[in-house]
Amino acid sequence: DTEVTQTPKHLVMGMTNKKSLKCEQHMGHRAMYWYKQKAKKPPELMFVYSYEKLSINESVPSRFSPECPNSSLLNLHLHALQPEDSALYLCASSRTGTGGSEQYFGPGTRLTVT
Amino acid sequence: SQKIEQNSEALNIQEGKTATLTCNYTNYSPAYLQWYRQDPGRGPVFLLLIRENEKEKRKERLKVTFDTTLKQSLFHITASQPADSATYLCALDMRNSGYSTLTFGKGTMLLVSP
């Protein structure tokens, strides 16, 4: 199974809402990632988890809060978002976090903040 | 900071021809360079990875080269087909605080006409 799944596929939320994005992989990968992608732009790295520990936070605002409950699951908790946070949020995983490993991406969650 | 340039935003070619996409970067060379394909509204899909000490890598109709002197990678699709139409992303596999992270170029949108 080389699939990364993400739920929900689409999410519309108000600026005062709290919601969560979920990501799951069963490939035994030890590194997981959150990316943000705006229209016609490349994916931008937000967070890296390696062996279930937050390894890299690319100066992401605190209204985005990642969580890695176990080696297969990755969540992104959202609170008090702004309209400019509307984007495609992609989860990815790789065998290791130390380089030379291809990343497997999920289909993404299309987030709209109203 | 590292800059990545994919020289064409869009490339139109006829079916059966070879598509050549270019990725240039500044500053220091990464240990690895990766190419991904992305279809609209979907997550990127890994295609090829090449190491800094490799000149060329092939997979079926795909070929990638890596020239650390020129700071350039070329990505070729031979005998192109309309199904190859997509955005192709170059990604530098960089070391960041001891972990590997991908920095993507803006991508080249390839359109293969019948």
Side-chain angles (χ1 to χ4, degrees), chain B residues 66-99:
Chain B
F66 192 10
D67 188 326
T68 55
T69 301
L70 293 177
K71 297 187 177 179
Q72 180 181 81
S73 175
L74 299 179
F75 179 78
H76 307 270
I77 305 174
T78 57
S80 60
Q81 305 166 0
D84 295 325
S85 298
T87 295
Y88 290 85
L89 299 162
C90 159
L92 272 56
D93 192 335
M94 308 298 299
R95 298 289 288 183
N96 184 340
S97 303
Y99 298 94

Short mmCIF file of all heavy atoms in Angstrom, two decimals, chain B residues 66-99:
data_model
loop_
_atom_site.label_atom_id
_atom_site.label_comp_id
_atom_site.label_asym_id
_atom_site.label_seq_id
_atom_site.Cartn_x
_atom_site.Cartn_y
_atom_site.Cartn_z
N PHE B 66 21.93 15.72 -14.07
CA PHE B 66 22.25 16.60 -12.94
C PHE B 66 23.68 17.07 -13.14
O PHE B 66 24.62 16.26 -13.13
CB PHE B 66 22.10 15.80 -11.65
CG PHE B 66 22.12 16.62 -10.38
CD1 PHE B 66 22.06 18.00 -10.38
CD2 PHE B 66 22.17 15.98 -9.15
CE1 PHE B 66 22.07 18.73 -9.20
CE2 PHE B 66 22.17 16.69 -7.97
CZ PHE B 66 22.12 18.07 -7.99
N ASP B 67 23.86 18.37 -13.33
CA ASP B 67 25.18 18.95 -13.54
C ASP B 67 25.44 19.94 -12.41
O ASP B 67 24.91 21.06 -12.43
CB ASP B 67 25.25 19.63 -14.91
CG ASP B 67 26.66 20.07 -15.27
OD1 ASP B 67 27.43 20.45 -14.36
OD2 ASP B 67 27.00 20.06 -16.46
N THR B 68 26.25 19.53 -11.43
CA THR B 68 26.48 20.39 -10.27
C THR B 68 27.40 21.57 -10.61
O THR B 68 27.40 22.55 -9.88
CB THR B 68 27.07 19.59 -9.10
OG1 THR B 68 28.24 18.92 -9.54
CG2 THR B 68 26.06 18.57 -8.59
N THR B 69 28.13 21.45 -11.71
CA THR B 69 28.98 22.58 -12.13
C THR B 69 28.11 23.69 -12.70
O THR B 69 28.27 24.87 -12.36
CB THR B 69 30.00 22.12 -13.18
OG1 THR B 69 30.80 21.08 -12.61
CG2 THR B 69 30.89 23.27 -13.61
N LEU B 70 27.18 23.32 -13.57
CA LEU B 70 26.24 24.28 -14.14
C LEU B 70 25.12 24.62 -13.18
O LEU B 70 24.36 25.57 -13.42
CB LEU B 70 25.64 23.74 -15.44
CG LEU B 70 26.59 23.56 -16.61
CD1 LEU B 70 25.84 22.94 -17.80
CD2 LEU B 70 27.21 24.90 -17.02
N LYS B 71 24.96 23.85 -12.12
CA LYS B 71 23.84 23.99 -11.16
C LYS B 71 22.53 23.86 -11.93
O LYS B 71 21.64 24.73 -11.86
CB LYS B 71 23.92 25.30 -10.40
CG LYS B 71 25.18 25.38 -9.55
CD LYS B 71 25.21 26.60 -8.65
CE LYS B 71 26.47 26.56 -7.78
NZ LYS B 71 26.57 27.74 -6.91
N GLN B 72 22.42 22.73 -12.64
CA GLN B 72 21.28 22.55 -13.51
C GLN B 72 20.88 21.08 -13.59
O GLN B 72 21.73 20.19 -13.59
CB GLN B 72 21.63 23.05 -14.91
CG GLN B 72 20.51 22.92 -15.94
CD GLN B 72 20.96 23.43 -17.30
OE1 GLN B 72 21.64 22.74 -18.05
NE2 GLN B 72 20.57 24.66 -17.61
N SER B 73 19.57 20.85 -13.67
CA SER B 73 19.05 19.52 -13.97
C SER B 73 18.13 19.62 -15.18
O SER B 73 17.36 20.58 -15.30
CB SER B 73 18.27 18.97 -12.77
OG SER B 73 17.67 17.72 -13.09
N LEU B 74 18.25 18.65 -16.06
CA LEU B 74 17.35 18.57 -17.21
C LEU B 74 16.48 17.33 -17.06
O LEU B 74 16.96 16.28 -16.65
CB LEU B 74 18.14 18.49 -18.52
CG LEU B 74 19.04 19.68 -18.84
CD1 LEU B 74 19.78 19.43 -20.16
CD2 LEU B 74 18.26 20.97 -18.91
N PHE B 75 15.21 17.47 -17.42
CA PHE B 75 14.25 16.38 -17.32
C PHE B 75 13.67 16.16 -18.71
O PHE B 75 13.15 17.09 -19.32
CB PHE B 75 13.15 16.76 -16.33
CG PHE B 75 12.09 15.73 -16.14
CD1 PHE B 75 12.30 14.61 -15.36
CD2 PHE B 75 10.85 15.88 -16.75
CE1 PHE B 75 11.32 13.66 -15.18
CE2 PHE B 75 9.85 14.95 -16.58
CZ PHE B 75 10.08 13.83 -15.79
N HIS B 76 13.80 14.94 -19.23
CA HIS B 76 13.36 14.63 -20.57
C HIS B 76 12.24 13.59 -20.53
O HIS B 76 12.33 12.60 -19.79
CB HIS B 76 14.51 14.05 -21.41
CG HIS B 76 15.74 14.89 -21.41
ND1 HIS B 76 15.97 15.89 -22.35
CD2 HIS B 76 16.84 14.88 -20.61
CE1 HIS B 76 17.14 16.45 -22.11
NE2 HIS B 76 17.69 15.86 -21.07
N ILE B 77 11.24 13.81 -21.36
CA ILE B 77 10.21 12.80 -21.61
C ILE B 77 10.26 12.49 -23.09
O ILE B 77 9.97 13.35 -23.94
CB ILE B 77 8.79 13.30 -21.25
CG1 ILE B 77 8.74 13.79 -19.81
CG2 ILE B 77 7.77 12.19 -21.48
CD1 ILE B 77 7.41 14.43 -19.44
N THR B 78 10.64 11.27 -23.43
CA THR B 78 10.71 10.89 -24.84
C THR B 78 9.38 10.32 -25.29
O THR B 78 8.58 9.84 -24.48
CB THR B 78 11.82 9.87 -25.09
OG1 THR B 78 11.56 8.72 -24.26
CG2 THR B 78 13.18 10.42 -24.73
N ALA B 79 9.14 10.38 -26.61
CA ALA B 79 7.90 9.86 -27.20
C ALA B 79 6.70 10.35 -26.40
O ALA B 79 5.88 9.55 -25.93
CB ALA B 79 7.94 8.34 -27.27
N SER B 80 6.60 11.65 -26.24
CA SER B 80 5.58 12.22 -25.36
C SER B 80 4.17 11.89 -25.82
O SER B 80 3.91 11.70 -27.02
CB SER B 80 5.76 13.73 -25.26
OG SER B 80 5.65 14.32 -26.53
N GLN B 81 3.27 11.81 -24.86
CA GLN B 81 1.87 11.47 -25.11
C GLN B 81 0.98 12.52 -24.46
O GLN B 81 1.38 13.15 -23.48
CB GLN B 81 1.56 10.10 -24.49
CG GLN B 81 2.47 8.99 -24.96
CD GLN B 81 2.38 7.75 -24.09
OE1 GLN B 81 1.63 7.71 -23.11
NE2 GLN B 81 3.13 6.72 -24.45
N PRO B 82 -0.24 12.71 -24.97
CA PRO B 82 -1.15 13.67 -24.32
C PRO B 82 -1.33 13.41 -22.83
O PRO B 82 -1.48 14.34 -22.05
CB PRO B 82 -2.45 13.46 -25.10
CG PRO B 82 -2.01 13.07 -26.46
CD PRO B 82 -0.79 12.19 -26.23
N ALA B 83 -1.24 12.14 -22.42
CA ALA B 83 -1.39 11.80 -21.00
C ALA B 83 -0.23 12.32 -20.16
O ALA B 83 -0.30 12.34 -18.92
CB ALA B 83 -1.51 10.28 -20.83
N ASP B 84 0.85 12.75 -20.80
CA ASP B 84 1.98 13.34 -20.07
C ASP B 84 1.72 14.80 -19.70
O ASP B 84 2.49 15.41 -18.97
CB ASP B 84 3.26 13.27 -20.91
CG ASP B 84 3.72 11.85 -21.18
OD1 ASP B 84 3.54 10.99 -20.29
OD2 ASP B 84 4.26 11.60 -22.28
N SER B 85 0.64 15.36 -20.20
CA SER B 85 0.31 16.75 -19.90
C SER B 85 0.05 16.92 -18.41
O SER B 85 -0.81 16.24 -17.83
CB SER B 85 -0.93 17.19 -20.70
OG SER B 85 -0.68 17.12 -22.09
N ALA B 86 0.82 17.80 -17.78
CA ALA B 86 0.75 18.01 -16.33
C ALA B 86 1.76 19.10 -15.99
O ALA B 86 2.49 19.58 -16.86
CB ALA B 86 1.09 16.72 -15.57
N THR B 87 1.81 19.45 -14.72
CA THR B 87 2.87 20.35 -14.23
C THR B 87 3.98 19.50 -13.63
O THR B 87 3.71 18.57 -12.86
CB THR B 87 2.31 21.32 -13.18
OG1 THR B 87 1.37 22.18 -13.80
CG2 THR B 87 3.43 22.18 -12.59
N TYR B 88 5.21 19.80 -14.00
CA TYR B 88 6.37 19.05 -13.52
C TYR B 88 7.19 19.95 -12.59
O TYR B 88 7.56 21.07 -12.95
CB TYR B 88 7.20 18.55 -14.70
CG TYR B 88 6.47 17.47 -15.45
CD1 TYR B 88 5.54 17.80 -16.45
CD2 TYR B 88 6.65 16.13 -15.14
CE1 TYR B 88 4.84 16.81 -17.12
CE2 TYR B 88 5.95 15.14 -15.80
CZ TYR B 88 5.04 15.49 -16.79
OH TYR B 88 4.33 14.50 -17.43
N LEU B 89 7.43 19.43 -11.41
CA LEU B 89 8.11 20.19 -10.36
C LEU B 89 9.49 19.62 -10.10
O LEU B 89 9.64 18.40 -9.92
CB LEU B 89 7.30 20.13 -9.06
CG LEU B 89 5.88 20.71 -9.08
CD1 LEU B 89 5.09 20.20 -7.89
CD2 LEU B 89 5.94 22.22 -9.06
N CYS B 90 10.45 20.50 -10.06
CA CYS B 90 11.81 20.15 -9.64
C CYS B 90 11.90 20.44 -8.15
O CYS B 90 11.34 21.45 -7.68
CB CYS B 90 12.77 21.00 -10.45
SG CYS B 90 14.41 21.22 -9.79
N ALA B 91 12.57 19.59 -7.39
CA ALA B 91 12.68 19.80 -5.95
C ALA B 91 14.11 19.52 -5.49
O ALA B 91 14.67 18.46 -5.79
CB ALA B 91 11.70 18.91 -5.20
N LEU B 92 14.65 20.47 -4.77
CA LEU B 92 15.99 20.28 -4.19
C LEU B 92 15.84 19.67 -2.80
O LEU B 92 15.08 20.17 -1.98
CB LEU B 92 16.72 21.62 -4.10
CG LEU B 92 17.52 22.05 -5.32
CD1 LEU B 92 16.68 22.10 -6.57
CD2 LEU B 92 18.20 23.38 -5.07
N ASP B 93 16.57 18.61 -2.59
CA ASP B 93 16.54 17.87 -1.33
C ASP B 93 17.65 18.44 -0.47
O ASP B 93 18.83 18.09 -0.62
CB ASP B 93 16.77 16.39 -1.66
CG ASP B 93 16.48 15.48 -0.48
OD1 ASP B 93 16.56 15.94 0.67
OD2 ASP B 93 16.21 14.29 -0.74
N MET B 94 17.28 19.36 0.42
CA MET B 94 18.27 20.11 1.18
C MET B 94 18.34 19.62 2.62
O MET B 94 17.36 19.12 3.17
CB MET B 94 17.91 21.60 1.18
CG MET B 94 17.64 22.21 -0.16
SD MET B 94 19.06 22.17 -1.27
CE MET B 94 20.24 23.13 -0.35
N ARG B 95 19.49 19.81 3.23
CA ARG B 95 19.63 19.53 4.65
C ARG B 95 19.19 20.76 5.43
O ARG B 95 19.61 21.87 5.15
CB ARG B 95 21.08 19.20 5.00
CG ARG B 95 21.60 18.00 4.31
CD ARG B 95 21.01 16.74 4.84
NE ARG B 95 21.49 16.38 6.16
CZ ARG B 95 21.15 15.28 6.82
NH1 ARG B 95 20.28 14.45 6.28
NH2 ARG B 95 21.63 15.03 8.00
N ASN B 96 18.35 20.54 6.41
CA ASN B 96 17.79 21.62 7.22
C ASN B 96 17.80 21.14 8.67
O ASN B 96 17.01 20.29 9.05
CB ASN B 96 16.37 21.94 6.73
CG ASN B 96 15.75 23.12 7.46
OD1 ASN B 96 16.18 23.47 8.56
ND2 ASN B 96 14.75 23.72 6.87
N SER B 97 18.72 21.72 9.48
CA SER B 97 18.82 21.33 10.89
C SER B 97 18.98 19.82 11.04
O SER B 97 18.43 19.23 11.97
CB SER B 97 17.57 21.80 11.66
OG SER B 97 17.39 23.18 11.54
N GLY B 98 19.70 19.21 10.14
CA GLY B 98 19.96 17.78 10.23
C GLY B 98 18.90 16.92 9.55
O GLY B 98 19.04 15.69 9.50
N TYR B 99 17.85 17.54 9.05
CA TYR B 99 16.79 16.79 8.39
C TYR B 99 16.73 17.19 6.92
O TYR B 99 17.20 18.24 6.52
CB TYR B 99 15.44 17.04 9.07
CG TYR B 99 15.43 16.58 10.50
CD1 TYR B 99 15.73 17.44 11.53
CD2 TYR B 99 15.16 15.24 10.80
CE1 TYR B 99 15.77 17.01 12.83
CE2 TYR B 99 15.19 14.81 12.11
CZ TYR B 99 15.49 15.68 13.12
OH TYR B 99 15.52 15.25 14.41
#
